[in-house]
Amino acid sequence: MENNNFKFEDEEKSSSKNKIILGIFVVVVLILAVLLFLHKSPKMNDAFNSEDAINRINPVKDPKITYFNYGGEEKPNMAKFGMVRRGGTRPHQGVDIFAKPGTDVFAVLDGKIVDLYADKNGYGLNLYLEVNPNDLEKLKRSDYKPKESFGEKLFGTNYNFMAKPKYIRYAHMSKVFVKLGDTVKAGQVIGKTGVTGNANKARDPHLHFEVAFEMRGKGLMNRVCPLMYFKIKTEDEMTKQDIQVQREASKVEWTENKGYEIGYRTQSVFAAEDEKLRLEEEAKKKKLKEATKIPEKTSKKVVKK
Ligand SMILES: [Zn+2]
């Protein structure tokens, strides 16, 4: 019995020892967790404030915005996303990346070609690549600061945090090497740059590049600033040599190659749907006009009285 008692005391001792060891273990784990958090958070802040280390595939090699505009004036801000045209009264839905016609154009992520057509008056030979929105989100940079005083913006007018950008548009191309419905791999050459559509006769040959969360939409609607995702050098990041290359190019009026549109659709896959919406909108406006006409007449009558 006595022996048993001793045994019992020993067991009690060892169980309280275990509790102490467990306690120390928990404290050590907590300290390690706090240390890890403190160690990681400054690093995260660094990523927000400085150049991040994400390896992106760019739409063209070593991309830079156009330093000159269509007419050859020094207007780098006009190349950016926002209300950057005509003194802040007109939108630019993407970013213009300087590229002499014939420059390779790359798929920036894995995806599918969901629209492709030759728009003679606007986008020229252009396509939409649909990507996984999560892949695009991973490329997001938090260190890009728009020049708001020049009308530059980060988000389209109807943007909200639920919007998931997943459409990449490439425009004014001279050639494309893919078909509607094709799936492509990140880094695949999908075409060549050009000056087709309203970029014809430009002194700033470029790839017009958009990031959108819906394929259609007027002005800045449904689009976001591509510079939030891709490191495209702006005027502040370009060297004198970079600018000199563009200055030389601006001495030429670049013309589109004839027949570039042959063999392509002339309208978006959404053309019929768009036309239906346009007609509906027109009918709505007409109705509204008629509805507002009646009080106008009565008010005139009141004045006469
Ligand atoms: Zn553009």
Side-chain angles (χ1 to χ4, degrees), residues 19-293:
K19 271 182 193 165
I20 289 167
I21 290 168
L22 188 72
I24 289 168
F25 180 73
V26 167
V27 168
V28 167
V29 166
L30 279 175
I31 288 170
L32 281 176
V34 168
L35 283 176
L36 194 72
F37 177 75
L38 288 176
H39 179 70
K40 265 213 164 161
S41 42
K43 260 196 179 167
M44 278 162 77
N45 284 338
D46 282 353
F48 285 130
N49 297 326
S50 62
E51 295 292 287
D52 58 66
I54 300 167
N55 207 356
R56 295 175 181 80
I57 290 165
N58 288 310
V60 300
K61 212 179 134 206
D62 190 16
K64 302 160 196 96
I65 63 157
T66 51
Y67 192 81
F68 297 86
N69 68 2
Y70 179 91
E73 297 168 281
E74 261 181 61
K75 300 265 186 194
N77 287 304
M78 286 179 74
K80 298 171 189 166
F81 177 83
M83 298 302 284
V84 294
R85 302 270 165 103
R86 293 215 193 134
T89 60
R90 283 202 62 187
H92 184 226
Q93 300 97 329
V95 61
D96 290 344
I97 304 169
F98 176 80
K100 285 184 189 170
T103 302
D104 280 343
V105 173
F106 302 97
V108 290
L109 288 166
D110 289 355
K112 189 178 176 185
I113 309 299
V114 287
D115 202 1
L116 166 58
Y117 64 103
D119 168 14
K120 287 197 91 174
N121 304 313
Y123 284 99
L125 187 54
N126 76 102
L127 63 83
Y128 261 119
L129 171 67
E130 183 179 355
V131 302
N132 182 331
N134 300 325
D135 290 347
L136 188 60
E137 195 60 27
K138 281 179 201 155
L139 302 184
K140 206 161 184 184
R141 44 192 295 226
S142 313
D143 58 345
Y144 184 70
K145 302 240 176 343
K147 287 188 177 171
E148 278 162 22
S149 56
F150 288 97
E152 198 189 347
K153 298 197 184 309
L154 287 184
F155 305 104
T157 38
N158 60 333
Y159 178 82
N160 69 68
F161 72 98
M162 296 288 280
K164 284 194 186 294
K166 61 173 176 175
Y167 298 108
I168 314 281
R169 190 178 215 170
Y170 300 78
H172 306 313
M173 288 190 283
S174 55
K175 276 181 187 161
V176 296
F177 304 135
V178 287
K179 298 185 306 295
L180 192 65
D182 278 0
T183 51
V184 297
K185 281 277 165 205
Q188 185 178 331
V189 178
I190 53 173
K192 297 268 188 192
T193 64
V195 284
T196 56
N198 61 14
N200 188 27
K201 295 186 178 170
R203 288 178 184 272
D204 63 337
H206 63 267
L207 174 74
H208 173 90
F209 185 67
E210 293 181 11
V211 176
F213 45 95
E214 283 288 340
M215 281 192 271
R216 293 163 297 155
K218 275 193 168 179
L220 302 183
M221 248 178 101
N222 298 333
R223 289 140 164 138
V224 297
C225 173
L227 292 169
M228 278 200 295
Y229 299 90
F230 297 92
K231 279 190 183 172
I232 298 158
K233 282 185 187 149
T234 61
E235 70 279 16
D236 302 330
E237 296 156 319
M238 284 186 218
T239 64
K240 276 184 184 164
Q241 179 59 29
D242 292 336
I243 295 166
Q244 188 53 31
V245 168
Q246 294 205 29
R247 182 170 284 116
E248 284 302 315
S250 76
K251 291 174 183 165
V252 181
E253 217 180 61
W254 298 82
T255 45
E256 65 188 11
N257 45 332
K258 280 201 176 104
Y260 75 87
E261 76 283 11
I262 295 169
Y264 294 104
R265 299 172 62 98
T266 55
Q267 286 180 315
S268 159
V269 291
F270 298 108
E273 216 175 302
D274 282 345
E275 180 62 8
K276 203 178 136 202
L277 283 174
R278 195 187 65 79
L279 290 174
E280 274 172 16
E281 197 65 28
E282 219 167 62
K284 240 190 236 170
K285 272 186 191 164
K286 211 175 168 187
K287 249 188 182 175
L288 199 73
K289 226 180 183 179
E290 275 163 15
T292 47
K293 258 182 190 170

